[in-house]
């Protein structure tokens, strides 16, 4: 329970907001009060807090006042850094005189995010070095090459860094370079066996987390902690999930498995020198059989595992089990630094055994499919049909959980998101949320605290209902004409959000030939550089796909037109989404609305949220897909987006864009 001697929550919130130079907002106050109540009641809260609410302080202040350990899990690096580098230091300083204590805070990430001193000093296991064309990467990589420069800089940085956290290295290094100096949890020797255990950056981060009152982590590590049964987070009484609209996707990713021929071959090579010939040959033979089958694999879901694939997976599973036993029973003193090599091999083979056994067992709650990548070839994947039961069991017991985002109400209520999290729907008899007739369901409340922005006056939602309905294939010349006219009327200033990279590329190529405005395209430079260039020049446009729908924060005149080329439904051939949709239908529900429309609505709400980032922002969100106006699900999509003034009048929109452009130019932007 909250310490009754603590100052009133209103005083604490005022001190915290003042410390960051902000002003208190009704939505932020309502959120802080609801968070404090949920923590005191050991209940759960879903709170939608629009852009500009100040939701970080809305949950940090009551959590710090409570005085027990809290874990804050976010989806993005940007928010993690904001919390640890800005919000928490200022809030702790502001609350210290009132609370008469100074809460400690720490950041904790997965092990592969930290520099491994063993890898740095002892080198990469030979199989990895051979694959990279390097025996000793630090010696063999040419110092003038990109890889060589990165590795030398990492070695210098290891003597300077206090955290070993990859994200503290500026500028960053390539994934290839980082892989030479980091390990996964499966590959780690463990502090007690490692010669560098006492200096280990990952272990130091875990120790700091054990001593902290607030631990900031990410959704993936939260999922690993909940799912795998081996605690990586310290015990905590309160869990706050920010950017909670991403949680189901991140948990699904952690709960998924993959097998590729290359991955299996690497495991064979790593294990071959450490086990007897018979065990190594059996794994090699199983690997070759699996590779032959994968050469013929066609993309798509496997409703049942084909007989030949089933036999191949059983052979892989059994051979992997034998190798795992052999790795634990034999040692070779001639193998240099055998513990590291053995751990690496064991981790690779254990993963093969785990995934192969899971697919062979054929759970009705799993979806299995083939994927084929132009560069990497075929892969066999398995993912849970739903993670709602898992979350309900693992997340909501023994602690209060606060889930917050700017987008939690889908189609006008919390029920869609709640169901995906394993929570019962809100009951009409219990308007504050609750058990919905299920005694075992966790008790929860949904709260929408709104936004300080006046969306109806600051923005227009325009749907181009005169355009032809987009098809699955082919160019959309009418859409490109409409896009060009809108960008020209806006004088640039456009963020183009496309449903595929192919569509973004086609639009950029077409408009570069028509208009005299700079058009940046995702993939032509790092995302950070693209966003900085977009923000720096108001005439510039930025086109791209998924990460732009959720990852761009550019207030001011550089972003006054946000365009969506079409409703971002999942691909019809997406095996996991299709399976989830079918499961809802078989249970008597509307699969399209529960899965495809909900997925699209969430993305569209996030995309539309890119427009208004500050109280002075003005602009238009243009959806170049007539289905948002014509289709029955159109109102569902519109209800999820900010409450902009709505129109389908193309001439009105052009006049508004011209006026906004003129006003921006008059202001010197």
């Amino acid at each position: 329970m909250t310490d009754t001697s603590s100052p009133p929550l209103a005083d604490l919130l005022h001190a915290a907001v003042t410390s960051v130079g902000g002003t208190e907002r009704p939505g932020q106050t309502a959120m802080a009060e609801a968070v404090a109540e949920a923590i005191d009641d050991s209940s759960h809260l879903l709170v939608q807090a629009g852009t500009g609410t100040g939701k970080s302080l809305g949950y940090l202040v009551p959590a710090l006042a409570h005085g027990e350990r809290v874990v804050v899990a976010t989806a993005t690096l940007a928010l993690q850094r904001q919390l640890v580098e800005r919000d928490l230091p200022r809030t702790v300083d502001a609350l210290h005189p009132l609370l008469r204590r100074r809460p400690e805070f720490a950041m904790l990430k997965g092990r592969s995010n930290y520099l491994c001193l063993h890898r740095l000093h002892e080198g990469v296991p030979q199989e990895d070095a051979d694959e990279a064309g390097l025996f000793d990467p630090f010696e063999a990589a040419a110092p003038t090459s990109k890889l060589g420069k990165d590795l030398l800089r990492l070695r210098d940085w290891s003597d300077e860094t206090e955290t070993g956290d990859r994200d503290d290295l500026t500028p960053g290094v390539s994934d290839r370079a980082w892989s030479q100096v980091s390990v996964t949890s499966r590959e780690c020797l463990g502090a007690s066996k490692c010669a560098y255990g006492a200096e280990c950056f990952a272990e130091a981060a875990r120790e700091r987390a054990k001593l902290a009152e607030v631990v900031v982590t990410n959704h993936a590590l939260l999922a690993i902690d909940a799912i795998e049964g081996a605690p990586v987070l310290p015990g905590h009484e309160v869990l706050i999930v920010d950017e909670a609209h991403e949680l189901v996707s991140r948990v699904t990713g952690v709960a998924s498995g993959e097998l590729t021929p290359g991955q299996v071959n690497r495991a064979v090579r790593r294990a071959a020198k450490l086990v007897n010939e018979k065990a190594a040959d059996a794994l090699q033979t199983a690997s070759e059989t699996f590779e032959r089958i994968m050469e013929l694999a066609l993309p798509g879901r496997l409703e049942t595992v084909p007989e030949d694939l089933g036999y191949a997976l059983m052979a892989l599973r059994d051979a992997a089990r034998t190798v795992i036993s052999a790795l634990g029973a034999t040692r070779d003193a001639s193998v240099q630094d055998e513990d590291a090599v053995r751990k690496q091999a064991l981790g690779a083979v254990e993963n093969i055994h785990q995934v192969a056994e899971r697919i062979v067992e054929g759970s009705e709650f799993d979806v299995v499919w083939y994927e084929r990548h132009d560069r990497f070839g075929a892969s066999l994947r398995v993912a849970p049909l739903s993670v709602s039961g898992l979350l309900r069991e693992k997340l909501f017991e023994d602690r209060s959980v606060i889930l917050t985002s700017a987008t939690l109400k889908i189609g006008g209520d919390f029920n869609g998101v709640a169901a995906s999290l394993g929570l019962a729907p809100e009951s009409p008899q219990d308007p504050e949320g609750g058990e919905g007739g299920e005694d075992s369901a966790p008790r929860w409340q949904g709260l929408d605290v709104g936004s300080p922005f006046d969306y109806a006056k600051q923005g227009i939602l325009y749907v181009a209902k005169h355009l032809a309905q987009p098809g699955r294939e082919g160019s959309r010349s009418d859409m490109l004409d409409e896009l060009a006219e809108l960008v020209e009327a806006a004088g640039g200033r456009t963020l183009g959000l496309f449903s595929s990279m192919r569509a973004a590329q086609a639009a950029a190529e077409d408009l570069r030939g028509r208009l005299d405005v700079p058009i940046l395209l995702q993939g032509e430079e790092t995302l950070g550089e693209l966003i900085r260039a977009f923000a720096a020049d108001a005439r510039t446009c930025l086109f791209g796909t998924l990460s732009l729908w959720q990852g761009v924060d550019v207030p001011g005149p550089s972003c006054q037109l946000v365009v969506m080329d079409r409703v971002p439904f999942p691909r019809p051939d997406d095996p996991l989404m299709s399976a989830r949709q079918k499961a809802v239908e078989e249970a008597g529900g509307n699969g399209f609305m529960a899965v495809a429309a909900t997925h699209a609505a969430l993305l569209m709400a996030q995309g539309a949220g890119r427009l208004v980032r500050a109280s002075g922002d003005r602009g238009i969100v243009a959806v170049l897909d007539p289905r948002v106006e014509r289709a029955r699900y159109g109102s569902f999509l519109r209800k999820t987006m900010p409450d902009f003034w709505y129109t389908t009048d193309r001439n009105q929109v052009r006049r508004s864009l011209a006026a906004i452009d003129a006003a921006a130019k008059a202001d010197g932007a």
Side-chain angles (χ1 to χ4, degrees), residues 184-205:
T184 66
S185 58
R186 282 183 183 270
E187 298 166 339
C188 176
L189 293 172
S192 61
K193 292 184 178 180
C194 180
Y196 303 90
E199 309 164 68
C200 177
F201 292 116
E203 290 298 322

Side-chain angles (χ1 to χ4, degrees), residues 12-25:
L12 295 171
L13 187 61
H14 176 76
V17 172
T18 302
S19 73
V20 299
T23 56
E24 293 172 75
R25 296 160 179 152

Side-chain angles (χ1 to χ4, degrees), residues 406-455:
T407 313
L408 286 181
K409 290 176 73 174
I410 307 298
D413 63 47
F414 290 100
N415 288 334
V417 168
S420 71
L421 296 167
L423 299 172
E426 289 184 287
S427 168
Q429 287 74 39
D430 183 9
E432 292 189 344
E435 300 181 9
E438 298 183 31
D439 292 339
S440 61
R443 187 163 58 91
W444 66 280
Q445 175 185 356
L447 175 67
D448 181 0
V449 301
S451 168
F453 302 143
D454 189 344
Y455 286 119

Side-chain angles (χ1 to χ4, degrees), residues 298-334:
L298 297 176
R301 183 184 179 187
L302 301 175
E303 297 268 2
T304 58
V305 175
E307 188 176 20
D308 59 346
L309 177 61
Y311 284 131
L313 290 173
M314 284 189 281
L316 266 183
R317 176 198 62 189
D318 296 343
R321 184 189 299 126
T322 301
V323 168
I324 290 168
S325 298
L327 283 169
T330 61
R331 289 202 165 275
D332 184 350
S334 68

Side-chain angles (χ1 to χ4, degrees), residues 45-48 55 59 73-76 79 219 222 240-251 391 395-396 401-408 417-418 420-421 550 602 606:
L45 176 68
L46 273 65
V47 54
Q48 177 164 290
K55 61 182 168 66
Y59 59 69
T74 76
T76 62
L79 183 54
H219 290 182
L222 173 65
I240 297 171
V241 182
D242 205 338
E243 302 173 310
H245 63 278
E246 286 278 354
L247 182 62
V248 168
S249 174
R250 303 301 172 99
V251 173
L391 288 171
L395 210 64
F396 294 100
V401 182
I402 315 297
L403 300 114
T404 184
S405 167
T407 313
L408 286 181
V417 168
S420 71
L421 296 167
Q550 305 184 79
L602 180 61
Q606 287 287 313

